[in-house]
Amino acid sequence: MSKTQLNVRVDEATAEAARERASQRGISVNRYIEELVKQDEGENGRAFVEAAADFMKRYEEVFTQEFGARGEGSR
């Protein structure tokens, strides 16, 4: 995968925290930031799926009344 450069500005405390955490994990700051972004993407995806499942659970009866039960076929 090709890489692109991304320049960001953060306060010194945030920069130092990133350096320390990366060092504790034995990885570069770049790798640490990459992992944080990937983790965030995964969490957002899980949150979406969980919210969609909750929505369907809450409104299953409404959908059933409107469109019929699963496996009944089309009207």
Side-chain angles (χ1 to χ4, degrees):
M1 174 188 340
S2 66
K3 301 273 185 167
T4 188
Q5 186 170 338
L6 175 67
N7 296 313
V8 297
R9 293 183 183 270
V10 297
D11 60 59
E12 186 56 39
T14 301
E16 186 57 33
R19 288 184 203 106
E20 286 178 15
R21 288 184 173 85
S23 177
Q24 290 169 352
R25 297 174 77 177
I27 59 176
S28 69
V29 173
N30 285 338
R31 180 67 184 169
Y32 178 66
I33 300 299
E34 284 180 314
E35 289 180 4
L36 287 177
V37 170
K38 288 177 182 177
Q39 177 184 345
D40 185 53
E41 287 176 331
E43 289 172 1
N44 287 336
R46 282 189 297 277
F48 173 79
V49 169
E50 289 172 4
D54 182 57
F55 175 85
M56 291 304 296
K57 183 178 178 182
R58 287 182 179 197
Y59 296 100
E60 182 177 18
E61 187 175 322
V62 174
F63 280 92
T64 300
Q65 289 173 359
E66 182 68 24
F67 302 107
R70 292 182 186 175
E72 285 186 9
S74 60
R75 291 184 184 186

